[in-house]
Amino acid sequence: MAWNEPGGGNRDPWGNNQGGPGNQGGPPDLDEIVRKLQERVSGLFGGKGPSGGGGGPSPRDLSLKVIGIVVAGLFVAWLLTGIYIVDPAERGVVLRFGAYVKTTAPGPHWRIPWPIERVEIVNVDEISSFSHKAAMLTRDENIVDVELTVQSRIQDASNYLFQDQAPMKTLRDATETVVRKTVGGAKLDFILTEGRGAVADMIQQGVQSLVDEYKTGLIVTSVNMQPAKPPEQVKDAFDDAIKAREDKERLENKAEAYANEILPQARGEAARATAEAKAYRDRVIASAEGETSRFNAIRSEFEKAPEVTRERLYLETIESVLSGSNMVLIDVPQGNSLMYLPLDQIMRKQSATTSSPRTSMLDGADSNQDSSRSTSSQMRDVSRDRSSR
């Protein structure tokens, strides 16, 4: 019968009679409770109670050992709870009583277990992105629709957790601020055409500067800007202007290509004409200098020996005049000079006349006679010149 059931009497949970004469209705003795608890624990480990007798350890000693073992096991288990592993894409932020201590790299680590230290695991390789779209006023007071996508990731885990209460909201606000500043400082034509890449770079640098100033721990990896568009009300006019600009650039490129083709050719021809003129000039100058040098040399020789020089000049002149003639002149000491016609040419002429009509023969004879008369006249002139000397 349980102690708390009807008829259980005044017994306590350990079977003691609370209403006995020794108890007199008071609470159970604490020493008695501890003694009975030790006896039961020692019984579980094979020990004997006080009635067992013998010289074994007392129940109190056994209970102290058991408690020490249990406490040591619990302490070891508590220490093992401080082991944690950080993945390659993560960083571990260690906090001691809520204050930042250090940031751990990927791999196994140990910290002082809870409640002294705890670890916040932060994924630093995860890419976060958001889009921003707005209609803005440009520098030249035109309205343009701008749409871009900003991508970011965590660079400093401790700053991301503790320096800014809402890092992503700060990033969005910084993006809107920088976009309005950048677009408001540029002209519409620059934004619509070749300036899109430059505008995106300026926005990325400006946003990164702001988030670094606020210590959000974020890094802006890229800013992808979509082609800017004018408002729908004036889109047709802008399209016409862009088409005209493209036609202008195409014609300019075509003219530049033609110029690049013609100019080298003209420069080459000019260089060639200049080189030819310089060569002709040098040749004429060299020839004149040579003639001058030769004349000066002949004059100096003539001054030394006039008769000899005159004779040599005469002979050289006769040689140059008669070098192309087919006649042979023989100078004899007495009498007239004899003339010998070239027999090989006469034979060739005779063979030509035998194979041609009579008129050709007569023409050949006349030409021979003319040649003979011309040669005779030349010889007479030479003889007259000799006699005059």
Side-chain angles (χ1 to χ4, degrees):
M1 179 179 296
W3 66 273
N4 57 353
E5 291 181 357
N10 295 324
R11 291 178 301 174
D12 57 13
W14 295 272
N16 297 323
N17 189 0
Q18 298 179 359
N23 196 314
Q24 297 179 358
D29 189 6
L30 183 61
D31 293 338
E32 185 67 19
I33 294 174
V34 171
R35 183 181 61 79
K36 289 185 177 182
L37 179 62
Q38 290 177 353
E39 289 177 357
R40 294 193 180 188
V41 172
S42 62
L44 293 175
F45 289 92
K48 296 180 179 180
S51 62
S58 64
R60 184 177 182 85
D61 295 337
L62 289 177
S63 64
L64 291 176
K65 290 182 180 180
V66 171
I67 293 174
I69 292 173
V70 172
V71 171
L74 293 176
F75 181 74
V76 171
W78 180 72
L79 292 178
L80 291 178
T81 59
I83 298 175
Y84 66 96
I85 297 176
V86 181
D87 293 336
E90 298 174 341
R91 296 294 183 270
V93 180
V94 181
L95 307 178
R96 183 175 300 164
F97 298 113
Y100 171 76
V101 177
K102 62 181 178 179
T103 301
T104 56
H109 302 277
W110 182 85
R111 60 173 174 83
I112 301 176
W114 185 89
I116 299 176
E117 290 184 352
R118 63 186 179 91
V119 178
E120 293 284 346
I121 302 298
V122 180
N123 190 340
V124 297
D125 284 351
E126 182 181 1
I127 300 297
S128 301
S129 63
F130 66 90
S131 298
H132 179 78
K133 182 177 180 181
M136 302 181 184
L137 190 66
T138 62
R139 179 182 175 183
D140 49 358
E141 298 181 356
N142 288 307
I143 299 177
V144 62
D145 293 333
V146 177
E147 181 179 1
L148 52 87
T149 302
V150 180
Q151 294 182 343
S152 63
R153 63 177 179 84
I154 300 174
Q155 183 181 27
D156 192 324
S158 61
N159 288 343
Y160 179 78
L161 291 176
F162 306 115
Q163 295 296 332
D164 195 298
Q165 184 177 6
M168 296 305 300
K169 183 178 183 302
T170 303
L171 178 61
R172 290 176 180 271
D173 295 341
T175 300
E176 182 175 0
T177 301
V178 174
V179 169
R180 291 190 178 278
K181 178 181 178 182
T182 304
V183 174
K187 292 185 177 181
L188 179 63
D189 292 341
F190 181 74
I191 298 174
L192 293 179
T193 56
E194 74 276 3
R196 187 178 65 180
V199 170
D201 292 339
M202 289 188 291
I203 292 174
Q204 181 175 354
Q205 294 175 5
V207 172
Q208 186 64 56
S209 177
L210 278 180
V211 296
D212 289 344
E213 184 177 353
Y214 284 99
K215 296 181 180 181
T216 59
L218 298 174
I219 179 173
V220 181
T221 57
S222 65
V223 174
N224 300 320
M225 184 176 179
Q226 303 298 325
K229 298 179 295 183
E232 292 295 334
Q233 295 82 355
V234 294
K235 186 176 182 301
D236 295 337
F238 272 95
D239 291 341
D240 293 340
I242 293 174
K243 185 176 183 303
R245 186 183 298 108
E246 292 176 352
D247 293 340
K248 174 187 174 183
E249 293 177 355
R250 179 175 55 81
L251 294 176
E252 288 178 351
N253 294 334
K254 184 177 179 180
E256 185 176 357
Y258 177 74
N260 293 334
E261 179 182 357
I262 294 299
L263 288 178
Q265 182 179 358
R267 292 192 183 99
E269 293 178 356
R272 183 171 60 253
T274 303
E276 291 178 354
K278 291 181 178 179
Y280 175 75
R281 181 195 64 185
D282 297 339
R283 185 172 62 253
V284 171
I285 292 175
S287 176
E289 291 176 351
E291 293 290 339
T292 303
S293 300
R294 185 166 52 253
F295 178 79
N296 292 332
I298 294 174
R299 187 184 63 178
S300 62
E301 295 296 331
F302 181 78
E303 292 175 352
K304 295 178 182 178
E307 294 297 331
V308 176
T309 305
R310 186 182 293 112
E311 183 70 20
R312 183 172 63 82
L313 292 175
Y314 171 77
L315 295 176
E316 290 178 354
T317 303
I318 293 299
E319 181 181 2
S320 64
V321 171
L322 299 179
S323 61
S325 177
N326 295 323
M327 296 177 295
V328 178
L329 298 178
I330 299 176
D331 190 8
V332 295
Q334 296 179 356
N336 294 328
S337 299
L338 299 178
M339 179 181 66
Y340 291 88
L341 296 177
L343 299 178
D344 55 347
Q345 294 185 8
I346 294 174
M347 295 299 295
R348 283 198 299 270
K349 291 180 179 180
Q350 288 180 354
S351 62
T353 54
T354 55
S355 59
S356 61
R358 180 177 178 81
T359 55
S360 298
M361 294 178 65
L362 293 176
D363 293 338
D366 294 339
S367 63
N368 289 331
Q369 291 177 1
D370 294 337
S371 177
S372 300
R373 286 195 295 269
S374 175
T375 304
S376 300
S377 62
Q378 291 180 1
M379 290 302 299
R380 284 195 298 272
D381 294 338
V382 172
S383 299
R384 189 181 305 111
D385 185 34
R386 297 279 293 182
S387 62
S388 64
R389 293 175 57 192

